């Protein structure tokens, strides 16, 4: 299984429009972060978790010429806004894209992209097949995916485990029940927004503490804002088993 980070930034991305801070003005490409998303390539399927506003460019940049499924963590705009851009895969590959989401997230997609779901169909509409995610593991191709709940302040968000790889974004609290589903992962991805306290996201210290609690051999932080600091500086503060992810980072798992 191959993992590629398509985006590692928060809802505004980095650089933030109009911002003159050191991170937004940095020439280190690791500080340029599109909205958060990850590509997972298994033996038989190509899967993306979340399709934010940068989805089109992310897929072009990573040269993703095939797509089988999108899995959604939750319905916030920075995670769903790019759904319409699956249309080239429909047209060129003559393929319907499978969408995996909770009922609540499906309802949000029906509101945001109502034209997809209208009874009157016309050429060029995105072609999708909805699949409901609940607490039970599910299959995409040959791969078993284990969903589990984390809390984004008061909003439930789903994390996903693919064998030895676990992906979490937009978490502030994680229950012991969910932790048990995470333990044993060799590679863990979790969000680390900034150093200062935040109502709905792990801070850097909270993310480090959770990484140590989960016990993965390697942990990568994602969903980072410009307030976190420069990539090179923050990495010096981290334990050896924890790294900052960056757009385009890719590895086998």
């Amino acid at each position: 299984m191959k993992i590629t980070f398509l985006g590692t930034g928060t809802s505004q991305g980095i650089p933030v429009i109009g911002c003159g801070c050191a991170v937004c003005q940095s020439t280190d490409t690791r500080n340029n972060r599109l909205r958060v998303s990850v590509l997972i390539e298994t033996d038989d399927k190509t899967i993306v978790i979340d399709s934010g506003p940068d989805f089109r460019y992310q897929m072009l940049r990573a040269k993703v010429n095939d797509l089988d499924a999108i899995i959604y963590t939750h319905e916030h705009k920075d995670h769903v806004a790019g759904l319409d851009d699956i249309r080239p895969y429909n047209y060129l590959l003559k393929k319907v894209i499978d969408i995996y989401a909770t009922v609540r997230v499906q309802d949000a997609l029906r509101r945001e992209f109502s034209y997809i779901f209208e009874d009157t169909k016309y050429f060029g509409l995105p072609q999708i097949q909805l699949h409901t995610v609940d607490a039970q593991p599910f299959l995409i191709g040959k791969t078993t995916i284990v969903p589990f709940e984390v809390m984004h302040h008061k909003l439930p968000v789903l994390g996903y485990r693919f064998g030895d790889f676990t992906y979490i974004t937009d978490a502030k609290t994680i229950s012991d029940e969910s932790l048990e589903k995470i333990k044993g992962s060799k590679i863990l991805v979790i969000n680390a927004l900034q150093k200062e306290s935040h109502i709905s996201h792990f801070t850097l210290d909270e993310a480090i503490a959770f990484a140590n609690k989960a016990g993965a051999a390697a942990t990568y932080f994602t969903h980072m804002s410009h307030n976190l600091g420069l990539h090179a500086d923050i990495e010096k503060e981290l334990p050896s088993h924890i790294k900052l992810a960056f757009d385009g980072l890719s590895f086998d798992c």
Side-chain angles (χ1 to χ4, degrees), residues 133-244:
V133 178
D134 51 26
Q136 300 304 312
F138 59 96
L139 281 170
I140 298 182
K142 302 174 186 175
T143 302
T144 299
I145 300 160
V146 180
F148 55 89
E149 187 176 276
V150 304
M151 294 303 295
H152 183 34
H153 186 38
K154 296 182 180 181
L155 180 71
V157 169
L158 290 185
Y160 295 99
R161 181 168 179 172
F162 298 67
D164 291 328
F165 175 75
T166 295
Y167 183 86
I168 302 168
T169 184
D170 289 55
K172 180 62 176 180
T173 54
I174 300 177
S175 70
D176 289 342
E177 181 181 359
S178 290
L179 177 60
E180 287 305 310
K181 296 181 180 180
I182 297 164
K183 283 184 175 179
S185 303
K186 292 182 180 177
I187 298 177
L188 171 66
V189 177
I190 56 174
N191 56 298
L193 186 75
Q194 59 191 32
K195 291 186 174 182
E196 296 77 17
S197 178
H198 194 277
I199 194 170
S200 60
H201 287 276
F202 277 151
T203 64
L204 181 64
D205 285 344
E206 289 168 344
I208 292 171
F210 183 78
N212 289 332
K213 192 175 181 181
T219 295
Y220 292 89
F221 290 164
T222 192
H223 206 291
M224 294 168 279
S225 82
H226 62 156
N227 294 322
L228 181 63
L230 292 164
H231 184 108
D233 292 344
I234 299 302
E235 280 224 319
K236 293 175 184 176
E237 303 175 17
L238 299 176
S240 60
H241 63 289
I242 301 176
K243 305 287 185 184
L244 299 187

Side-chain angles (χ1 to χ4, degrees), residues 63-82:
K63 296 180 172 57
V64 183
N65 296 322
D66 197 1
L67 180 66
D68 295 295
I70 300 174
I71 307 174
Y72 286 111
T73 59
H74 65 297
E75 65 269 37
H76 283 169
K77 204 74 164 183
D78 55 322
H79 296 260
V80 304

Side-chain angles (χ1 to χ4, degrees), residues 4-43:
T4 303
F5 288 92
L6 299 173
T8 56
T10 188
S11 58
Q12 295 185 82
I14 303 173
V16 175
I17 294 172
C19 183
C21 77
V23 177
C24 289
Q25 297 302 310
S26 171
T27 57
D28 183 346
T29 58
R30 295 175 300 176
N31 290 310
N32 294 334
R33 303 185 184 278
L34 299 178
R35 268 63 74 94
V36 67
S37 180
V38 67
L39 171 70
I40 299 169
E41 297 171 278
T42 69
D43 289 341

